[in-house]
Amino acid sequence: MKSLSATDRPSAPNRSGVPAEARPDTEKKPVQSAQPAPLNPERRKTPRSWETPPAPVVAPPFDAYESIVGAAELDELRFLARELKGKTVKMVNSTAVGGGVAEMLNRLVPLLGELEVPTHWDVITGGNDFFEITKAFHNALHGTPYELTQAAREIFLSYNEQNRQRMQFNEDLIVIHDPQPAALIGARKDSHARWVWRCHIDLSNPNPQVWGFLRPYIEQFDAAIFSSQSFARQLPIPQYLFYPCIDPLSEKNKDLDESFVQKVCDEFGVDRSRPIVTQVSRFDRLKDPAGVVQAYKQAKKYVDCQLVLAGGGASDDPEGAIVLKEVKEVAGNDPDIIILDLPPWCALEINALQRASTIVVQKSLKEGFGLTVTEALWKGKPTIAGAVGGIPNQVIHKLTGMLVHSVEGCAYQIRYLLTHPEFAAQMGKNGHEHVKENFLMTTNVRRWLLLLRILLVEGKV
Ligand code: UDP
């Protein structure tokens, strides 16, 4: 078997500068398709690219986006940035790799820098106890039952305090992402900065104890930013809507040579001559990987397909290994279920798997915005996704994708799209246009520049 290595990769941009779903038609008979022989499991050995991070490559310059969004949009961004020259920004979050926030910051930070708004990205540190608590907070804010203890409060605050002492806040705008570092607002009294809380999660139905604990910290910020209108809470501070975004030139989203896509599939044992249904996600119960396996199994009774579950852990998510084990148990020994536990540097491989897919699924039970959906739509993939969080902003049912509410609904849509390829292809095209209009990095840069002007130039909130 050939292994992927850094030198095998196509030239890639850098991450520089930064640390009415219908009911299933059960009457129909299962298809009698001749099932090809399963691939030799020997082919699914760990490729070398899993073991070694690729060498960093140079990020595309700001001007490179002209080929995607046109010159006029870039001129507008340059114009907005002109008055901000010299203003500085610090972004603070809880992980440098894994998950959508890191994915966005990875590119937003250098782009703002290129527009002469120097932006620094700091990641808070903490022990397992801290990340277990913040993961529980995250789930609780998404509505999962949780009993907030005094010990959890103290651990949360003590790690925030340690980080506060370690960090400097000399910039003009401090942006704190999500709840993990929210108590850093305690440093506000020693800084001249404006402070903004950028919340990426769905706060529409939070656990009252956890929200009650966090809320007094959030209220000290100058403003809060949410990813969807439906996520916002009643707060005494101004709130802004920023859709998340993807970078069309990143390793995750740029065009790939067909030969590279084929090579990745060969290495992972994915058979491109048969339909491929893929979910890319951290192994997290709220992403419902086990539900995806069940949906695949139901659909498979009627249509031939393979299921690829590609995911990995994030350093702020200690549950991943347990969930991965659970998913493997549900999958059993079906050779057409390919579960890939990827390290965080496999953006090109994820890109290739998404491009090789016939259908992309994101069957989340709770979701922030769901960047994996954005990525799939951008690649023109017919997409089936849970109608939760920010997903309905992206997936307009039957127009840019299919929204589902259950395992059965997901199974039905897999089956429907695999048997209606022209409809599926049209939805893929619509999805691509929807992302181009609304969810690309350049649009996000525009929002940040406008907010900076409001806060730092016009002095308003
Ligand atoms: N991702 C990744 N490797 C993985 C799993 C996910 O690089 O093993 C990426 C995925 O492509 C997407 C982001 O992480 O860019 C996940 O963002 P999303 O908003 O879908 O979910 P989150 O993980 O932030 O809840």
Side-chain angles (χ1 to χ4, degrees), residues 98-101 103 138 252 280-282 287 310-313 342-344 347 350 354 362 367-373 375:
V101 180
E103 188 79 15
H138 178 97
K252 186 69 63 66
V280 173
S281 267
R282 290 179 292 106
K287 309 284 183 186
L342 301 173
I350 289 176
Q354 288 168 327
Q362 185 58 56
E367 189 54 83
F369 188 70
L371 281 178
T372 50
V373 173
E375 291 161 6

Side-chain angles (χ1 to χ4, degrees), residues 170-405:
N170 299 323
E171 294 79 1
D172 298 303
L173 179 72
I174 311 293
V175 183
I176 302 293
H177 292 259
D178 284 334
Q180 297 93 329
L184 289 179
I185 189 69
R188 185 190 174 141
K189 56 185 181 321
D190 307 318
S191 89
H192 69 280
R194 295 301 193 116
W195 288 65
V196 170
W197 187 54
R198 172 67 176 103
C199 177
H200 297 267
I201 58 184
D202 179 353
L203 274 191
S204 55
N205 185 27
N207 173 297
Q209 283 183 23
V210 175
W211 179 237
F213 170 61
L214 291 172
R215 188 183 167 117
Y217 297 100
I218 306 309
E219 289 178 351
Q220 295 174 49
F221 285 83
D222 290 302
I225 303 173
F226 292 93
S227 296
S228 167
Q229 353 18 350
S230 59
F231 291 5
R233 302 294 304 164
Q234 283 279 336
L235 285 168
I237 55 174
Q239 299 181 39
Y240 294 88
L241 169 65
F242 275 35
Y243 287 130
C245 64
I246 57 165
D247 178 5
L249 298 178
S250 70
E251 289 175 282
K252 186 69 63 66
N253 297 306
K254 68 174 193 170
D255 283 341
L256 292 176
D257 282 349
E258 166 55 30
S259 60
F260 181 76
V261 175
Q262 186 63 51
K263 179 152 63 168
V264 170
C265 288
D266 289 346
E267 294 216 348
F268 291 157
V270 179
D271 177 2
R272 293 190 76 199
S273 68
R274 295 163 57 216
I276 302 162
V277 178
T278 301
Q279 174 158 301
V280 173
S281 267
R282 290 179 292 106
F283 289 101
D284 178 323
R285 288 192 193 98
L286 295 180
K287 309 284 183 186
D288 201 16
V292 178
V293 173
Q294 288 162 358
Y296 151 86
K297 286 188 175 180
Q298 289 184 16
K300 182 81 182 245
K301 292 180 194 157
Y302 303 92
V303 282
D304 179 40
C305 57
Q306 304 153 86
L307 176 65
V308 178
L309 289 176
S315 58
D316 61 349
D317 179 2
E319 270 176 10
I322 304 163
V323 177
L324 176 60
K325 189 162 167 275
E326 288 169 5
V327 176
K328 285 183 174 165
E329 277 163 20
V330 180
N333 56 6
D334 182 338
D336 281 339
I337 302 180
I338 298 154
I339 299 178
L340 303 171
D341 182 16
L342 301 173
W345 51 80
C346 285
L348 277 175
E349 285 77 8
I350 289 176
N351 186 346
L353 289 167
Q354 288 168 327
R355 287 182 189 279
S357 302
T358 320
I359 290 175
V360 172
V361 174
Q362 185 58 56
K363 208 203 144 310
S364 301
L365 302 171
K366 294 276 179 184
E367 189 54 83
F369 188 70
L371 281 178
T372 50
V373 173
T374 331
E375 291 161 6
L377 297 178
W378 176 245
K379 289 163 187 128
K381 293 296 157 184
T383 301
I384 300 170
V388 291
I391 288 176
N393 286 319
Q394 309 186 61
V395 173
I396 303 162
H397 189 55
K398 293 186 181 170
L399 186 68
T400 63
M402 295 298 205
L403 289 174
V404 294
H405 304 83

